[in-house]
Structures are given as structure tokens and as C-alpha cells.
Amino acid sequence: KQWYQRRVAITAGGRAIAYLLGLSYMFLGVNIIADVFTAAIEVITSKTKQIKIATANANGDNGDDSANQGPHFDTIEVKIWNDTVSNLTLMALGSSAPEILLSIIEIVGNGFEPGELGPGTIVGSASFNLLVITAICIYVIPDGESRRIKEINVFACTSFFAVFAYIWLYLVIEVITPNVIEIWEGIVTFLFFPLIVLLAFAADKNFWRKQMEMDGDWNQMQD
């Protein structure tokens, strides 16, 4: 009996070591895949193209008494991907791919019933990014220095949806259909993603300000 108990104890300990080694091996594989995926995304988003822009004498007028030399264009390189769109789509997908795949695998394996790992992983990762990463970014600023948000419109848009996501999650799980996620709720939740991308892109391009300026110019013309 003592030999059997010792054998069971050794077997349990060996099993724990085997599980730990297997888990570490899987994490290493996920890390390698995520690194390759992120590097591929960086290559895609760094692509540029050449465009021609007209200079002051593009209409053939040099602006002085010199001889007319005809139209002139300068060639510059610009990014194909907008930084805001790439950060909200490709970069976000690359950094969140492991927990998304984990949740999908678990929920499919459980017959579309939530497990103990998938949903908590996604919510926990989002909370970590929202709270801990933001706190670290603020903490590492040297004393006596400050940082300013360059694109305040995009920041306001993404900040609103970051808070709204938790409100919507609470409404779906606790208020609208308690403890049940219906198909229409999943579709509406998914449609919020292209909505935030479009709104953030419009904010990045100052669409609302340009529209207000155009309306102001139109009203002046009417007056």
C-alpha cells in the first residue's frame, strides 16, 4: 500500500511536470507565430507609393518675371495604409490573435457554450491594455517632462469605444438577454468594429472640421 501511494504521488508529480513542459512548449510556439505574424503586418503597413504633387508653378506661372517653364510636379512617397486604420485593424489583430483563437477553439469544442478560459482571456487582455499599459506609459515619462496627444480626435473616438465596449458587454450579458448571447447580439457587436474604424479614420482626416468649414463657406456665399 505504501508503494502504491508513493507511485501515485510520483505519477502525479511527473504529470504536473509534463503538463508544465507541454504548456511552455505551446506558449513558445504561440510566441513564435505571433512574432512572425506581427513582423508580416509591419511589412504590409510600411509599404509606400509615389505620388506627384503640384508646386506653386504647376499652372505655368512662376510667380515672377522669369520665363514660363511650364507645369512642375514634385514626387513624394506616402504610406499606402493609414496609420489609424492599420493600428485598429492589422496591429490589433496581430496582438490579439492568440486570445481570439483560444476563445474560438474553446467555444467550438464546448458546443458553443462559454468555457472558463476564452471569454475571461479576452476581457482580461482588454482590461490589462486599458488600465495597466496606460499606467505604465504614464509612469515611464521622466520627471519634469510631459507628452501631448497628437491626434486628440482619434484618441477621443477610441477612448469612447473602449469604455462603451464594457457597457455594451454588461447590457448584453445582464440586461438584454441574461446569460445568453443571441445571434443578433453577436452581429451587432461585430458591426461596431467597422464603425469605430470608419469614425476613427474620419477623425484622423478631420472630416467633421472640413465639413463645418464647407458649411460655413456655403452660408457666407448665401449671405
Side-chain angles (χ1 to χ4, degrees), residues 15-83:
R15 207 181 313 164
I17 295 175
Y19 287 159
L20 181 61
L21 292 176
L23 187 62
S24 300
Y25 181 78
M26 292 180 183
F27 275 127
L28 180 61
V30 171
N31 180 45
I32 295 174
I33 295 174
D35 286 342
V36 174
F37 188 61
T38 304
I41 291 175
E42 291 178 354
V43 172
I44 294 174
T45 56
S46 63
K47 293 291 185 180
T48 60
K49 65 178 180 179
Q50 293 184 345
I51 62 173
K52 293 183 178 181
I53 59 173
T55 57
N57 61 346
N59 58 356
D61 184 8
N62 296 327
D64 50 25
D65 296 334
S66 60
N68 190 335
Q69 299 179 358
H72 178 72
F73 297 89
D74 288 337
T75 302
I76 62 173
E77 285 194 2
V78 296
K79 288 185 176 181
I80 298 177
W81 279 82
N82 178 269
D83 289 337

Side-chain angles (χ1 to χ4, degrees), residues 5 7 24 40 52 56 67 92 98 125 136-137 148 157 162 174 188 208 218:
Q5 291 177 348
R7 181 184 177 188
S24 300
K52 293 183 178 181
S125 175
I136 293 176
C137 291
R148 297 182 63 88
C157 179
E174 297 292 338
V188 172
W208 319 117
W218 173 257

Side-chain angles (χ1 to χ4, degrees), residues 31-213:
N31 180 45
I32 295 174
I33 295 174
D35 286 342
V36 174
F37 188 61
T38 304
I41 291 175
E42 291 178 354
V43 172
I44 294 174
T45 56
S46 63
K47 293 291 185 180
T48 60
K49 65 178 180 179
Q50 293 184 345
I51 62 173
K52 293 183 178 181
I53 59 173
T55 57
N57 61 346
N59 58 356
D61 184 8
N62 296 327
D64 50 25
D65 296 334
S66 60
N68 190 335
Q69 299 179 358
H72 178 72
F73 297 89
D74 288 337
T75 302
I76 62 173
E77 285 194 2
V78 296
K79 288 185 176 181
I80 298 177
W81 279 82
N82 178 269
D83 289 337
T84 299
V85 174
S86 63
N87 287 334
L88 290 175
T89 55
L90 296 179
M91 290 298 180
L93 178 62
S95 60
S96 302
E99 57 260 33
I100 293 176
L101 292 177
L102 178 63
S103 179
I104 292 175
I105 293 172
E106 185 182 47
I107 198 170
V108 171
N110 290 341
F112 289 90
E113 294 288 337
E116 298 179 356
L117 191 60
T121 302
I122 294 179
V123 175
S125 175
S127 302
F128 184 86
N129 293 334
L130 179 63
L131 302 176
V132 179
I133 298 301
T134 302
I136 293 176
C137 291
I138 297 174
Y139 178 77
V140 297
I141 297 177
D143 295 337
E145 297 185 10
S146 61
R147 299 292 186 270
R148 297 182 63 88
I149 299 175
K150 183 179 179 180
E151 300 293 341
I152 189 65
N153 295 333
V154 177
F155 175 77
C157 179
T158 54
S159 298
F160 169 78
F161 276 96
V163 177
F164 175 76
Y166 292 97
I167 298 176
W168 172 251
L169 183 63
Y170 173 77
L171 292 176
V172 169
I173 296 178
E174 297 292 338
V175 178
I176 301 177
T177 54
N179 299 323
V180 176
I181 304 298
E182 297 185 355
I183 296 179
W184 72 269
E185 294 172 335
I187 295 175
V188 172
T189 303
F190 180 79
L191 291 179
F192 282 136
F193 176 69
L195 177 62
I196 182 179
V197 174
L198 291 175
L199 292 178
F201 178 75
D204 181 60
K205 294 299 182 180
N206 290 323
F207 176 80
W208 319 117
R209 182 180 301 176
K210 292 179 180 179
Q211 188 66 31
M212 292 175 62
E213 292 177 353

